[in-house]
Amino acid sequence: MMDQETLKALALETLQSPRTAADKIIALALNRDILWTALFLVAAVNSIVYSFSLLLHDASALPSFLTNPLIFFVIVSGVLVMSVHAFYWMGRAAGGTGDLGDLLALMVWLQALRAIAQFVLFVLTLLSPVLAQLFSLVVGAFGLWITVNFITQALHLRSLLHGLGVLVLAAVGLVFGLLLLGGLIGLVAIGVPANV
């Protein structure tokens, strides 16, 4: 098990050299059952922090499913699971040879860092909304950079450009799939058969 100092060092290395950090995480060879459990755990933590952040804003304009912590957790968990599989299969289609477990380990680590960033954002929002906005932009940029590096490293892709392509194609596929699913759910909800 890693101690607190090792985790801090790994977090810093993730920001400075994501691919080197990725190799260290992959080398841990964690069991997939543990990793899937960890994925749902970080989704739960993210949902809790998100719920607290709603207290600082007027949430009345948001759809009801975004203000219900349990539903939000289910959505976040579902999107994370689908993202891991979308990245993996798109990566395989692009010539990647990596293992799903390696990609899963890196995505769990990335989500854990995002949970910490969400908490820092929550605190900054209390202190200075302007700083919070700037921090959010920086986190978004770093998150994208780290994700591309992690995908490239986990799936043994030829370059970061291939990793970026996998990310974009997977995102498009996810959006299309979610829209299709949402449309089918909407049709069923109003009583229209799904096969029409």
Side-chain angles (χ1 to χ4, degrees):
M1 289 293 290
M2 291 186 173
D3 59 25
Q4 191 172 353
E5 289 305 314
T6 306
L7 288 172
K8 283 181 184 177
L10 185 58
L12 186 60
E13 188 171 15
T14 301
L15 297 175
Q16 296 173 337
S17 180
R19 295 180 78 168
T20 306
D23 284 337
K24 290 183 179 178
I25 295 164
I26 290 170
L28 295 172
L30 298 171
N31 180 283
R32 280 197 197 179
D33 290 338
I34 292 172
L35 290 172
W36 283 119
T37 303
L39 188 75
F40 290 114
L41 180 60
V42 292
V45 172
N46 270 300
S47 300
I48 291 167
V49 176
Y50 171 78
S51 298
F52 277 113
S53 70
L54 288 179
L55 300 175
L56 304 178
H57 306 287
D58 179 18
S60 60
L62 292 173
S64 58
F65 65 86
L66 287 180
T67 58
N68 183 313
L70 184 58
I71 295 176
F72 186 78
F73 164 72
V74 171
I75 292 171
V76 169
S77 300
V79 169
L80 285 176
V81 170
M82 288 189 292
S83 296
V84 170
H85 284 285
F87 292 153
Y88 178 71
W89 290 110
M90 285 293 180
R92 297 286 290 189
T97 58
D99 182 71
L100 178 66
D102 293 344
L103 180 63
L104 178 58
L106 297 180
M107 291 300 108
V108 167
W109 175 245
L110 182 59
Q111 290 307 313
L113 294 181
R114 280 193 174 146
I116 295 168
Q118 280 280 94
F119 178 75
V120 173
L121 182 62
F122 173 72
V123 174
L124 281 178
T125 303
L126 293 172
L127 300 175
S128 170
V130 175
L131 277 178
Q133 288 286 341
L134 289 172
F135 180 75
S136 180
L137 289 172
V138 171
V139 167
F142 265 108
L144 182 61
W145 169 246
I146 294 167
T147 302
V148 170
N149 276 275
F150 276 9
I151 289 171
T152 303
Q153 201 68 6
L155 299 177
H156 306 155
L157 296 170
R158 285 169 288 180
S159 68
L160 286 177
L161 192 59
H162 285 87
L164 179 61
V166 167
L167 175 65
V168 171
L169 289 173
V172 170
L174 279 171
V175 169
F176 180 75
L178 289 171
L179 287 173
L180 185 63
L181 182 62
L184 289 174
I185 291 171
L187 289 173
V188 171
I190 61 174
V192 179
N195 60 356
V196 170

